[in-house]
């Protein structure tokens, strides 16, 4: 008997941002935001290059002043990923930003100064052919909704989002992404779940102001994993205090752990205990190093003794169950060879190489779509 994990991605419409596609069955994209003032062009470009190097796929810059809007063209010219402008409070900044070569605009309609100003932003976005993110935030909901519900709860956030979507639709604007952010995990999760039941707009998900790592990463994972496992979320950001570069690894790790985007080998290792009879930490360190940079979606289990080793190794694609100074290598549940501790790492890596060839030949690897010029670089596993 075989078992397949039930998983359905929430069906959303596709929205183009620059040369990337968000929503539908396209990969969940990783986004971040720069920290220097946007008019400090060199610093901003340097940070975006570091984010790109880490794998960032969409980048947002804040535009609170005219000098920031004037910097957008220069920044856009020197980066390789879509540029998103983040606007709060001043609708005129949104209008100004759209006169520059950007790929998307993000506004919080709750603090933009009323419906008329919101409509002006929508009209300009439509004329420019720009997608727009409607970023509802629990902290800046309309007063009347807070009064109606008593506090900024998920139904109030969803009602706010649907209200702004109605207005956008009445203006003929459809290229919209929605976010419903809160720094409270329960509020954010519930808001996104409620919204997904009522709309097919793609969502940008995140736990806002998560704070300082490592707690902020754990908190973000607690909020994002339930959503991702429900099939919700089309772009993702982990908001960390300070340098944004570590946000990227954290986001990809969450996508990997929830099997929404598996882009590297997954190592399963036991925590070790008094039963350990080999240098497990040393072996893991060597394997990790030699797998660096690989995008093969192979699950490798390396366990220190016979208690759980053979069982876990059978569940992984490849596995080692170690004994005293030696071990057994499993492949798809079958023992393929017995090895000495000293040969273990080489032998495992040989099996990884064979596994890659066999999986590619069997057609189980697919190319991630919607990634513009990066489209051909990454292999995806069929979700098992
Ligand atoms: Fe201990 Fe063995 Fe479990 Fe590792 S697999 S933690 S060595 S009992």
């Amino acid at each position: 008997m075989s078992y397949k994990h039930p998983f359905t991605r929430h069906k959303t419409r596709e929205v183009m941002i620059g040369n990337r596609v968000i929503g539908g069955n396209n990969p969940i994209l990783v986004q971040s935001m720069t920290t220097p003032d946007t008019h400090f062009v060199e610093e901003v470009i340097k940070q975006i290059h570091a984010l790109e190097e880490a794998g960032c796929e969409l980048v947002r810059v804040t535009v609170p002043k005219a000098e920031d809007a004037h910097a957008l063209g220069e920044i856009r010219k020197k980066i390789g990923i879509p540029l998103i402008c983040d606007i709060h409070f001043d609708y005129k900044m949104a209008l100004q930003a759209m006169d520059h070569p950007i790929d998307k605009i993000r506004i919080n309609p709750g603090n933009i100064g009323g419906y008329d100003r919101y409509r002006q932003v929508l009209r300009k976005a439509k004329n420019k052919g720009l997608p727009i993110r409607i970023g509802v935030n629990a902290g800046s909901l309309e007063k009347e909704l807070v009064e109606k519900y008593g506090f900024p709860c998920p139904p109030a956030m969803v009602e706010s989002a649907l209200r702004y979507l109605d207005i956008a639709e009445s203006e003929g604007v459809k290229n919209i992404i929605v976010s419903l952010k809160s720094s409270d995990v329960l509020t954010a999760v519930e808001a996104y779940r409620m919204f997904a039941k009522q709309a097919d707009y793609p969502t940008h998900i995140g736990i806002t102001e998560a704070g300082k790592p490592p707690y902020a990463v754990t908190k973000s994972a607690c909020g994002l994993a339930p959503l991702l496992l429900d099939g919700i979320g089309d772009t993702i950001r982990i908001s960390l205090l300070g340098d944004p570069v570590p946000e990227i690894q954290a986001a990809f790790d969450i996508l990997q752990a929830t099997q929404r985007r598996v882009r590297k080998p997954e190592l399963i290792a036991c925590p070790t205990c008094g039963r350990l009879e080999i240098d497990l930490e040393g072996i893991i360190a060597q394997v990790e190093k030699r797998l660096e940079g690989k995008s093969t979606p192979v699950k490798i289990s390396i366990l220190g003794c016979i208690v759980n080793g053979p069982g876990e190794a059978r569940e992984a694609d490849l596995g080692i169950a170690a004994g005293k100074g030696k071990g057994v290598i499993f492949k798809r549940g079958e023992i393929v060879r017995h090895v000495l501790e000293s040969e273990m790492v080489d032998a495992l890596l040989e099996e990884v190489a064979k596994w890659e060839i066999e999986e590619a030949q069997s057609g189980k690897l697919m190319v991630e779509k919607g990634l513009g010029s990066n489209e051909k670089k990454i292999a995806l596993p069929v979700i098992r």
Side-chain angles (χ1 to χ4, degrees), residues 12 14 57 97 112 167 175 183 258 324 339 349 354 377:
T12 54
E14 291 185 341
E57 295 164 309
I112 206 86
I167 298 172
N175 284 335
S183 58
T258 50
K324 193 171 181 176
V339 283
L349 268 291
K354 283 192 215 160
K377 288 189 181 162

Side-chain angles (χ1 to χ4, degrees), residues 1 12 21 44 58 69 83 85-86 92 95 131 135 173 185 189 204 206-207 211 239 257 277 304 308 339 363:
M1 207 168 83
T12 54
V21 193
V44 171
L58 302 166
L83 181 66
C85 278
D86 190 86
K92 284 192 195 137
L95 299 177
V173 175
V185 167
V189 170
H204 169 67
I207 300 300
S239 305
E277 292 182 309
N308 290 319
V339 283

Side-chain angles (χ1 to χ4, degrees), residues 31 33 60-63 83-89 94 97-98 102-109 111-112 121 130-137 140 177-181 204 208:
Q31 182 174 150
M33 188 163 173
R60 194 152 37 110
V61 296
T62 183
V63 184
L83 181 66
I84 304 165
C85 278
D86 190 86
I87 309 287
H88 284 274
F89 308 119
M98 287 189 273
I102 56 169
D103 298 293
K104 178 181 144 196
I105 185 145
R106 182 267 180 185
I107 58 163
N108 177 345
N111 67 20
I112 206 86
V121 174
L130 280 176
I132 183 163
R133 165 147 72 96
I134 294 179
V136 170
N137 197 304
S140 52
I177 290 135
V178 173
S179 61
L180 298 135
K181 291 205 184 168
H204 169 67
T208 199

Side-chain angles (χ1 to χ4, degrees), residues 28 30 205-207 216-229 236-240 246-262 264 266:
I28 299 162
V30 171
I205 60 172
I207 300 300
V217 175
T218 309
K219 183 176 175 181
S220 296
C222 290
L224 298 186
L227 293 172
L228 292 166
L229 293 171
I236 174 175
R237 184 191 174 196
I238 311 301
S239 305
L240 301 182
E247 293 181 3
I248 309 305
Q249 182 66 54
F252 278 116
D253 282 350
I254 291 169
L255 291 173
Q256 170 107 8
T258 50
Q259 293 188 38
R260 302 288 66 95
R261 265 184 96 176
V262 180
K264 62 178 184 181
E266 170 121 358

